[in-house]
Amino acid sequence: VLWASFDRLELSSLSFKRVLLLGYSNGFQVLDVEDASNVNELVSRRDDPVTFLQMQPLPEMSEGHEGFRASHPLLLVVACDESKVSGLMPIGRDGLARHGFDEPQNGNILLSPTAVRFYSLRSHNYVHVLRFRSTVCMVRSSPRIVAVGLATQIYCFDALTLENKFSVLTYPVPQAGGQGTLGINFGYGPMAVGPRWLAYASNNPLQSNTGRLSPQNLTPSPGVSPSTSPSSGSLVARYAMESSKQLAAGLINLGDMGYKTLSKYYQDLIPDGSGSPMSSNSGRKVGRGALHSAETDIAGTVVVKDFVSRAVISQFRAHTSPISALCFDPSGTLLVTASIHGNNINIFRIMPSSTKNGSGSQSYDWSSSHVHLYKLHRGMTSAVFSCILYFFIKLLCLIYL
């Protein structure tokens, strides 16, 4: 068994079934578990190794575009391309693996799933296939888009027509093992899809100082001095306040310099958090070439992109170590984040703040586009958060409150 998960099979907008999805080294299976006393098999197919399965939600209606709606319910199947597993199992004349072959006995088989197939539970056939040149690490879907995450890139497709809409570059996906091995946590990673927004780990430097207090926000007001203050009664208090801002700005600058210098030598001694460096003995390791010194200022950055307007509505530093998991709540406004250390879980409320320019286009103020609501701490030892369930986090919030 390479994959197992519960999911919802949507029969209509108001009707669904609970199903169990199982991916094997020689195919996949879908079981109806709505009635625990009467479990039925809906689909059983033998072909290539399947590392990830997910039911696609019913796509939104679109005028003039029928797309693949008539083929729903659709099952997203992440599988190894038949041409790349010819050494593992027999291939038929039609190019597909033959049914009924024996399962491979070697537990160290190299797996490189590069195909995302759309299997119709209505016609019991594949109706569409997306092929990629590198390993597919994760897939997320909504009624609007299907997002396919590779090691350093995310492709977004229209949920109805499955046409490629846009792609973004990401921070290298943290991996539990070497590339192409069973040690990879296929299906998990730092990507979340909400009703309208896509959240992912960014590979770009921060554009605004939002993770901590910034010296730019502490610059004194122009022209403030004892001789220019309007009220003589508050002269000393006003001057002391402005002077304290200058002092605080200098202390922050000095602290940042020392922090960056010390973190290079004492990374193992600083615990993980929303403002901590990445530890060298973390539970996961980032892909090769991802631990350059310049990237320590990039790791942990989250980008929230509106996949309708294609605008980046928020960007902030959620952690200072690479992100291992992201999740939106059902409303799509709360974002839960976890890093590779697994010590802290942060919960943010995303609140886009935009202004219209003279040309009519909108510009977003990233510094006020999010609010940090909660930080949940689980201890000092490292742990791997491969998936975050929002309802579990909500329960933890209630316990903490």
Side-chain angles (χ1 to χ4, degrees):
V1 176
L2 304 181
W3 177 263
S5 66
F6 290 104
D7 210 330
R8 293 182 9 146
L9 190 161
E10 295 187 8
L11 303 175
S12 67
S13 58
L14 300 176
S15 176
F16 68 91
K17 284 185 177 182
R18 294 178 177 86
V19 293
L20 174 62
L21 309 178
L22 298 172
Y24 304 109
S25 59
N26 63 344
F28 64 90
Q29 192 176 25
V30 180
L31 301 176
D32 180 358
V33 294
E34 184 68 28
D35 183 0
S37 62
N38 185 25
V39 176
N40 297 316
E41 180 184 84
L42 299 179
V43 178
S44 180
R45 187 178 179 95
R46 296 288 189 96
D47 45 29
D48 303 321
V50 173
T51 60
F52 179 77
L53 293 165
Q54 184 182 86
M55 295 302 309
Q56 183 185 352
L58 287 175
E60 291 188 349
M61 298 294 293
S62 176
E63 295 182 2
H65 295 282
E66 180 63 23
F68 291 90
R69 190 174 182 86
S71 300
H72 277 262
L74 286 181
L75 174 66
L76 278 66
V77 181
V78 178
C80 298
D81 195 12
E82 53 268 9
S83 62
K84 296 184 179 181
V85 295
S86 58
L88 300 180
M89 56 191 65
I91 302 298
R93 293 182 180 179
D94 56 357
L96 298 176
R98 295 172 184 161
H99 297 280
F101 58 82
D102 295 332
E103 292 191 25
Q105 300 299 319
N106 184 4
N108 296 321
I109 296 174
L110 295 179
L111 294 178
S112 182
T114 58
V116 179
R117 303 170 184 170
F118 294 80
Y119 183 87
S120 172
L121 272 70
R122 185 182 299 272
S123 64
H124 293 278
N125 283 309
Y126 290 118
V127 296
H128 192 68
V129 179
L130 301 174
R131 289 185 172 88
F132 302 89
R133 295 183 178 180
S134 58
T135 301
V136 176
C137 299
M138 51 191 164
V139 178
R140 304 287 183 270
S141 59
S142 74
R144 290 179 180 265
I145 67 166
V146 174
V148 180
L150 309 182
T152 58
Q153 194 168 7
I154 296 174
Y155 290 90
C156 292
F157 301 85
D158 185 90
L160 183 63
T161 64
L162 302 182
E163 296 177 352
N164 188 9
K165 291 298 184 180
F166 65 90
S167 63
V168 295
L169 296 177
T170 66
Y171 195 85
V173 174
Q175 297 174 357
Q179 186 75 10
T181 67
L182 289 175
I184 293 181
N185 238 342
F186 287 118
Y188 299 121
M191 178 175 68
V193 171
R196 178 160 174 159
W197 300 335
L198 168 72
Y200 59 93
S202 173
N203 71 328
N204 296 320
L206 285 172
Q207 299 297 322
S208 59
N209 297 310
T210 57
R212 60 174 65 181
L213 194 60
S214 171
Q216 285 77 3
N217 299 329
L218 296 174
T219 54
S221 303
V224 175
S225 67
S227 60
T228 60
S229 297
S231 173
S232 58
S234 60
L235 175 64
V236 176
R238 178 71 181 277
Y239 187 65
M241 180 183 66
E242 299 298 336
S243 299
S244 65
K245 288 184 178 181
Q246 297 184 33
L247 178 61
L251 290 175
I252 289 176
N253 280 326
L254 181 61
D256 282 343
M257 293 172 59
Y259 178 84
K260 292 179 179 180
T261 302
L262 290 175
S263 64
K264 295 179 181 179
Y265 301 100
Y266 300 99
Q267 293 180 359
D268 296 341
L269 302 180
I270 306 178
D272 173 48
S274 59
S276 65
M278 179 174 55
S279 173
S280 60
N281 61 349
S282 58
R284 287 189 171 194
K285 295 182 180 180
V286 181
R288 184 176 299 177
L291 294 180
H292 295 163
S293 60
E295 293 185 347
T296 58
D297 293 334
I298 305 173
T301 303
V302 175
V303 168
V304 180
K305 187 181 182 72
D306 188 322
F307 46 72
V308 176
S309 65
R310 314 285 177 86
V312 174
I313 63 173
S314 183
Q315 181 175 251
F316 56 92
R317 193 85 177 271
H319 302 267
T320 55
S321 51
I323 296 174
S324 63
L326 294 170
C327 180
F328 277 114
D329 76 317
S331 71
T333 59
L334 295 183
L335 181 64
V336 186
T337 70
S339 74
I340 59 173
H341 297 283
N343 300 123
N344 293 318
I345 299 175
N346 290 321
I347 303 178
F348 298 90
R349 182 179 296 279
I350 308 301
M351 303 181 303
S353 175
S354 63
T355 57
K356 287 189 176 181
N357 300 327
S359 60
S361 61
Q362 287 184 329
S363 61
Y364 289 88
D365 181 8
W366 296 338
S367 62
S368 59
S369 62
H370 68 282
V371 175
H372 186 202
L373 299 180
Y374 306 105
K375 176 187 287 186
L376 307 181
H377 186 72
R378 57 152 292 276
M380 297 300 295
T381 58
S382 296
V384 176
F385 281 96
S386 56
C387 180
I388 302 178
L389 297 178
Y390 169 74
F391 294 106
F392 176 67
I393 299 302
K394 188 174 183 180
L395 176 62
L396 286 179
C397 290
L398 294 176
I399 294 175
Y400 272 73
L401 291 176

